[in-house]
Amino acid sequence: MTYAGVQTKVLTLLQGMSEFDTSNSAESDFRLLAHGKAQYGVILKGATGIAGKSGQLDASNGNYEYQRRDDYTVEIHVFRSFTTDVLATRAAVTSLADAVEAHFDKYPDLDSYSGIIDSRIDVVGEADEWTVGSGTYWRQVIELKVVELSTV
């Protein structure tokens, strides 16, 4: 697989949630925030590769195959429209991030996606405020770390 395939699969899984669909979630497209929805999800490319983890030689049963390991990070940015009540907005974006985290915890292999052997999701830092056009949002960044093995 490729990073692009993994990122597209993550978007498909995100859109499988009741909170997201094609009108409020996309890959690398912040223009969605102008559509007047209460919440959004934007998938962005994160880091690739981890030092010292490139692969392994499998010599079992006389086979000499090299298992290549690829590590990908997919960033899931969730946005919630800002309301006049700061605490309510913060609770809403936290609840949305928690729902995304719980959803992806059900799919450690990204729903049996080819070559994916594991994934882990982490909420990163504090939510922050974004203003786009006339809209103000709270954003929470979530990192999905994905491990893929392939035979070379």
Side-chain angles (χ1 to χ4, degrees), residues 3-68:
Y3 177 86
V6 169
Q7 183 171 303
T8 299
K9 181 61 177 183
V10 169
L11 178 62
T12 300
L13 288 173
L14 184 72
Q15 290 174 344
M17 298 177 63
S18 61
E19 295 88 350
F20 298 101
D21 58 31
T22 57
S23 71
N24 70 346
S25 59
E27 294 180 61
S28 305
D29 190 355
F30 290 99
R31 294 175 297 175
L32 287 173
L33 298 174
H35 291 172
K37 304 282 184 179
Q39 57 205 20
Y40 298 93
V42 178
I43 309 296
L44 296 174
K45 183 174 184 174
T48 58
I50 295 178
K53 298 198 178 208
S54 61
Q56 60 194 18
L57 182 64
D58 180 8
S60 62
N61 300 324
N63 287 336
Y64 290 93
E65 295 179 334
Y66 183 76
Q67 294 287 315
R68 177 183 167 146

Side-chain angles (χ1 to χ4, degrees), residues 51-128:
K53 298 198 178 208
S54 61
Q56 60 194 18
L57 182 64
D58 180 8
S60 62
N61 300 324
N63 287 336
Y64 290 93
E65 295 179 334
Y66 183 76
Q67 294 287 315
R68 177 183 167 146
R69 175 183 170 140
D70 289 304
D71 294 85
Y72 307 115
T73 301
V74 179
E75 292 184 4
I76 304 169
H77 293 235
V78 294
F79 296 85
R80 182 69 189 185
S81 294
F82 191 82
T83 65
T84 54
D85 184 343
V86 174
L87 293 178
T89 304
R90 182 175 182 80
V93 78
T94 299
S95 177
L96 185 59
D98 288 347
V100 170
E101 188 174 18
H103 180 69
F104 278 90
D105 278 344
K106 294 186 260 182
Y107 303 102
D109 62 357
L110 299 186
D111 198 23
S112 301
Y113 193 63
S114 179
I116 302 302
I117 62 165
D118 194 23
S119 68
R120 185 184 84 242
I121 194 159
D122 295 310
V123 175
V124 179
E126 292 290 323
D128 58 359

